[in-house]
Amino acid sequence: MTENYHVFSDGRLERHNDTVRLVTEDDEKKYLPVENAEAVFLHGQIDFNTRLVSFLNDHGVAVHIFGWNDYYAGSVMPERGQTSGRTVTEQVRAYDDPEHRRQLARKFIRASIHNMRANVSYYDNRDHDFGSVITRLDTQQERLEPGLEINELMGVEATARRAYYSTFDDILPDGFVFGGREYNPPKNEVNSLISFGNSLVYANVVSAIRATALDPAISFLHEPGDRRYSLSLDIADIFKPLLADRVIFRLVNRQQVDMGDFEERLNGCLLTESGREAYLKEFEQMLDQTVEHPRLNRKVSYQHLLRVEVYKLKKHLLTGEEYAPFERWW
Amino acid sequence: MSDTDPVEKLRRTAQDEATTDEFRVTGVMMQYYEVCERELWFASRHLEIDRDNAAVVRGTQVDDSAYDEKRRNVSIDGMIAIDVLEDGRVMEVKPSSSLVDPAKLQLLYYLWYLEHIVGVEREGVLAHPTERRREAVELTPENEQWVEDAIRGVHDIVTQETPPGAEEKPFCESCAYHDFCWSC
């Protein structure tokens, strides 16, 4: 249950016997094996019916829908029998206790900054001089005092992320000009890559949360929202540097995407279909990459690290055992 | 035995006497108690197991497919669910014999429950279909003591606010709580 399937073409997704079949507009038929599927990502215009949804539900497969403009549009999640009133109660209790909430929010930010720093110091050790950025990131870490309110914590995070993003123009080759973070819609190529990558991390975290009984809408750092799975935002932030950003550096520096993989639309700059395919190929490889886990005593994939992260949070909420968010240890 | 003795508490719960202090013990809780106390605590909180775990998938398949023509599933008091064979013996099916004692304790608990709470004496049979092996299990006085001590042990674990610490055991890797338990 670890494979993500991405569908780019327009057409129809349907149940066919005991599997899922994609029928494209020119009547080409492709099969997606559901037994080992974690989620299906729809990037094109796809029709499907309730029969397909029930079938995917039985197999515990999520569907994540991506619009070409707004990227993440929503998910059809399997029920999977993972509901637990007790878990949600504990989750709400932690959210509702200001001290507990601040403590968790602070941990998320600590880990986020740590993981940004890991990327920066990788390039600092190669042929860049990012000493001053590293100092700025360390300064933000030191500002993370236990008493800070959520909005103050958010401020620390934003400052750190600005410092982190300031390295992108140096890391990426000439021609790719980042400037700063802009979205809705992204204004240039780098922003467009960041938006796409972040929404993929987000969707994968949604899948991971749904494999447990945690409620994806009850969060600690981000304000629980009506529209977004805000717990997914909390956790995705920690993993963006590891997953989304490294894919960008790799693709652009190896010239696997170039200016031809973007198009101007709706006052923004968006990846073309071939650009998205190139990104996804690299991104899925990144998810499959493994690392020796010191506590689990075996190699685990980056994708599984997401699942483990949700387990850790849930365990903390239900047992009171310490939660230490993912910080890159290698 | 005092009123607060878990064995007495279990009897009261089972006999449905108005009690505000319910205490439920399922067969699988007895098994967990013998295998790993931390696993028991997790299970008692209904923490989800990893359904993708290979051992879980296999166990479910063995249980679903073995001897289905000759056994009948019976639920008693909503407390225990047992498989009764045509000749009245109680059967417990396990995918392998690598954890014999936990399976035996689970089965003995069913026999104890039937004798002391329902009031019927039964024999038990422990079956390992994949190894084509069966073993008769009987409720001797010694085994009764084992069961009652375990009931008290289960009570101690599940009433704790926090789970017992993680302890490395040879079968940790195949446990459905492995990643949950060892992640931090």
Side-chain angles (χ1 to χ4, degrees):
Chain A
M1 300 279 290
T2 54
E3 222 49 46
N4 286 331
Y5 291 98
H6 296 270
V7 176
F8 288 96
S9 36
D10 297 342
R12 178 175 177 73
L13 204 60
E14 58 191 20
R15 175 178 179 175
H16 185 256
N17 297 329
D18 276 331
T19 188
V20 175
R21 179 166 81 172
L22 169 73
V23 184
T24 61
E25 285 189 315
D26 34 14
D27 222 29
E28 211 182 303
K29 294 183 178 72
K30 265 192 276 184
Y31 291 86
L32 313 179
V34 287
E35 295 76 34
N36 51 358
E38 169 94 16
V40 181
F41 289 65
L42 304 181
H43 301 274
Q45 292 297 317
I46 299 286
D47 293 338
F48 56 88
N49 61 19
T50 51
R51 193 161 166 264
L52 176 82
V53 173
S54 309
F55 182 67
L56 291 174
N57 191 30
D58 290 345
H59 287 79
V61 180
V63 181
H64 299 301
I65 300 160
F66 279 61
W68 53 271
N69 172 27
D70 197 20
Y71 294 121
Y72 180 79
S75 303
V76 182
M77 298 301 304
E79 218 274 330
R80 231 189 224 184
Q82 302 288 22
T83 51
S84 155
R86 190 190 173 87
T87 302
V88 178
T89 308
E90 292 301 334
Q91 203 182 342
V92 173
R93 216 191 290 275
Y95 162 76
D96 216 28
D97 170 354
E99 174 52 32
H100 198 168
R101 183 182 170 189
R102 277 199 298 268
Q103 208 188 89
L104 283 170
R106 192 167 125 253
K107 286 186 173 189
F108 286 138
I109 292 173
R110 276 201 73 82
S112 280
I113 298 178
H114 174 99
N115 293 328
M116 291 183 224
R117 192 187 191 280
N119 278 0
V120 175
S121 75
Y122 171 83
Y123 284 100
D124 185 59
N125 288 332
R126 302 193 109 203
D127 30 12
H128 295 271
D129 179 13
F130 290 142
S132 68
V133 176
I134 291 172
T135 311
R136 268 147 74 201
L137 290 174
D138 292 342
T139 309
Q140 294 312 303
Q141 283 290 29
E142 284 155 21
R143 282 183 55 203
L144 288 175
E145 280 164 29
L148 294 192
E149 295 296 335
I150 298 292
N151 62 341
E152 296 171 309
L153 289 165
M154 285 277 202
V156 173
E157 211 269 358
T159 308
R161 204 166 282 273
R162 256 198 312 279
Y164 169 63
Y165 279 145
S166 75
T167 61
F168 278 40
D169 272 324
D170 281 330
I171 294 170
L172 297 171
D174 292 346
F176 279 88
V177 179
F178 174 47
R181 186 79 179 108
E182 285 173 303
Y183 44 96
N184 285 333
K187 291 279 186 275
N188 59 33
E189 292 77 11
V190 182
N191 271 292
S192 149
L193 286 164
I194 294 175
S195 289
F196 190 54
N198 286 354
S199 57
L200 287 169
V201 176
Y202 172 85
N204 276 282
V205 175
V206 171
S207 283
I209 293 173
R210 281 302 180 125
T212 75
L214 283 176
D215 189 320
I218 300 164
S219 51
F220 304 98
L221 172 59
H222 293 83
E223 209 51 55
D226 299 329
R227 209 170 63 81
R228 283 265 165 164
Y229 291 136
S230 42
L231 182 61
S232 197
L233 295 174
D234 284 1
I235 296 173
D237 271 356
I238 304 172
F239 286 92
K240 285 171 186 172
L242 174 77
L243 298 172
D245 300 342
R246 287 167 78 214
V247 170
I248 298 175
F249 301 149
R250 227 178 259 191
L251 281 174
V252 175
N253 285 330
R254 291 181 191 161
Q255 294 166 358
Q256 285 161 280
V257 295
D258 56 33
M259 292 300 170
D261 291 311
F262 300 88
E263 56 194 345
E264 299 285 333
R265 276 206 277 187
L266 290 175
N267 293 324
C269 177
L270 299 168
L271 274 161
T272 60
E273 186 176 320
S274 69
R276 284 193 235 177
E277 273 183 58
Y279 188 98
L280 276 166
K281 194 167 164 244
E282 198 66 33
F283 185 80
E284 290 296 335
Q285 275 176 18
M286 188 67 100
L287 287 179
D288 287 342
Q289 217 166 300
T290 59
V291 59
E292 182 70 35
H293 195 291
R295 292 261 301 168
L296 298 182
N297 248 330
R298 65 163 203 272
K299 287 190 160 204
V300 298
S301 68
Y302 289 3
Q303 178 154 40
H304 193 67
L305 284 179
L306 299 177
R307 176 83 71 98
V308 169
E309 196 60 22
V310 183
Y311 283 160
K312 279 156 53 178
L313 180 60
K314 174 166 177 173
K315 186 166 62 168
H316 165 72
L317 294 171
L318 281 123
T319 70
E321 288 180 16
E322 192 73 11
Y323 168 56
F326 164 74
E327 291 189 359
R328 199 171 152 190
W329 62 80
W330 64 93
Chain B
M1 285 293 163
S2 75
D3 268 7
T4 52
D5 179 52
V7 175
E8 288 307 314
K9 210 163 145 177
L10 173 68
R11 277 183 211 268
R12 280 199 305 275
T13 302
Q15 286 159 358
D16 203 19
E17 280 176 35
T19 168
T20 49
D21 194 15
E22 258 205 351
F23 176 47
R24 312 186 71 79
V25 182
T26 64
V28 80
M29 285 167 87
M30 295 294 270
Q31 190 200 332
Y32 287 153
Y33 174 70
E34 191 68 22
V35 175
C36 171
E37 296 181 356
R38 187 166 164 89
E39 184 181 23
L40 167 61
W41 193 95
F42 288 157
S44 73
R45 266 37 175 199
H46 305 291
L47 294 177
E48 80 280 355
I49 56 168
D50 181 358
R51 300 236 161 249
D52 302 338
N53 179 291
V56 174
V57 173
R58 179 161 169 258
T60 310
Q61 282 165 353
V62 170
D63 192 56
D64 286 349
S65 61
Y67 311 119
D68 56 336
E69 78 285 7
K70 279 187 293 178
R71 59 182 180 140
R72 207 158 52 87
N73 195 270
V74 183
S75 171
I76 293 167
D77 302 340
M79 184 94 78
I80 59 171
I82 57 177
D83 284 331
V84 184
L85 295 178
E86 274 173 353
D87 62 8
R89 288 181 302 166
V90 180
M91 173 180 255
E92 185 54 33
V93 179
K94 284 293 150 211
S96 90
S97 54
S98 63
L99 292 169
V100 169
D101 275 1
K104 197 179 273 183
L105 180 61
Q106 179 178 1
L107 178 53
L108 283 168
Y109 171 62
Y110 294 148
L111 301 178
W112 179 92
Y113 192 96
L114 289 173
E115 184 170 329
H116 292 277
I117 292 173
V118 182
V120 291
E121 278 185 47
R122 288 287 186 254
E123 276 175 31
V125 48
L126 200 57
H128 308 291
T130 53
E131 296 164 26
R132 300 185 171 279
R133 221 163 52 81
R134 292 180 175 205
E135 183 189 344
V137 172
E138 213 185 322
L139 199 59
T140 61
E142 200 180 59
N143 282 338
E144 290 212 6
Q145 192 60 49
W146 186 17
V147 170
E148 290 179 13
D149 287 347
I151 292 170
R152 295 184 183 105
V154 166
H155 183 270
D156 287 349
I157 302 296
V158 303
T159 51
Q160 282 174 25
E161 281 292 304
T162 54
E167 213 180 292
E168 186 132 24
K169 295 170 188 263
F171 34 77
C172 271
E173 275 178 26
S174 60
C175 175
Y177 289 107
H178 178 271
D179 288 5
F180 184 82
C181 179
W182 287 100
S183 64
C184 71

